[in-house]
Amino acid sequence: PRTVQKRRLAMTLTDAYRLCSGDMRFHVSAKDDQEVADEVHCLVRSLRLAPKNVITYTRQAWMGYFMDPGLRVTFDALVRTRRAGFDLEQPRRLILAYPAGRLIMEVKANERVPHWLTTTLARHGCSLERISKYCHGIAQLVRQERLRWEAG
């Protein structure tokens, strides 16, 4: 299986808008955050990145403790999407990006997924499937646009 490493940084919404529009006038509090911000800035400028969709979902998160401290299992439900712009604080109509009656379970581990969990997942017929909430959102927006075009 492939390993995905996400990098995050905390900043105000105003500074995030600046960073994502290619503006260098933003504030970060730590050196590591500056490295991530510089990487985002470089990608935004060189690849001309722009917001495409907003994904929102309800998450229930579980964390391992004593025996499995690096283990995290999350369940995402009601995955919804909308067109994106630099207006995250504005309420907008959301549409389902993933079937309402289904959950997305993610298993994350710092080292390896514990044997007891892989055994339990196998016993219940769970198999690895790569799902991108972002890609599901984009696909749903494209479908909605196509239906609107065909109807109009």
Side-chain angles (χ1 to χ4, degrees):
R2 292 179 295 183
T3 300
V4 175
Q5 293 186 355
K6 296 181 181 179
R7 299 179 59 184
R8 297 176 171 91
L9 71 130
M11 60 183 5
T12 66
L13 186 58
T14 301
D15 282 341
Y17 286 155
R18 286 182 181 137
L19 173 60
C20 291
S21 66
D23 189 335
M24 288 296 290
R25 295 173 298 142
F26 56 83
H27 174 73
V28 295
S29 56
K31 184 181 185 300
D32 290 345
D33 286 351
Q34 186 62 54
E35 289 175 13
V36 174
D38 291 344
E39 184 178 333
V40 169
H41 183 263
C42 179
L43 290 170
V44 166
R45 301 284 296 207
S46 64
L47 300 177
R48 298 181 185 179
L49 299 179
K52 291 296 179 192
N53 76 343
V54 172
I55 295 291
T56 183
Y57 46 90
T58 302
R59 171 169 280 182
Q60 187 175 79
W62 298 74
M63 292 175 51
Y65 285 99
F66 305 108
M67 297 299 289
D68 301 302
L71 177 65
R72 290 151 342 266
V73 179
T74 59
F75 298 91
D76 298 339
L78 290 175
V79 180
R80 293 159 294 168
T81 187
R82 71 168 175 84
R83 285 261 170 240
F86 288 122
D87 61 349
L88 293 177
E89 64 281 0
Q90 297 298 317
R92 291 255 198 106
R93 186 174 158 268
L94 297 161
I95 60 172
L96 282 175
Y98 198 74
R102 303 203 55 199
L103 297 173
I104 297 173
M105 178 178 77
E106 294 182 31
V107 177
K108 304 165 196 137
N110 288 349
E111 302 297 323
R112 61 177 180 73
V113 177
H115 184 264
W116 65 264
L117 181 54
T118 57
T119 303
T120 302
L121 293 172
R123 186 178 331 124
H124 290 281
C126 297
S127 59
L128 175 65
E129 183 179 339
R130 299 191 191 289
I131 295 174
S132 166
K133 292 181 279 282
Y134 172 82
C135 289
H136 272 272
I138 291 290
Q140 193 60 26
L141 291 170
V142 167
R143 258 187 238 109
Q144 185 186 42
E145 227 168 72
R146 189 178 309 126
L147 289 173
R148 226 183 276 135
W149 183 80
E150 289 171 357

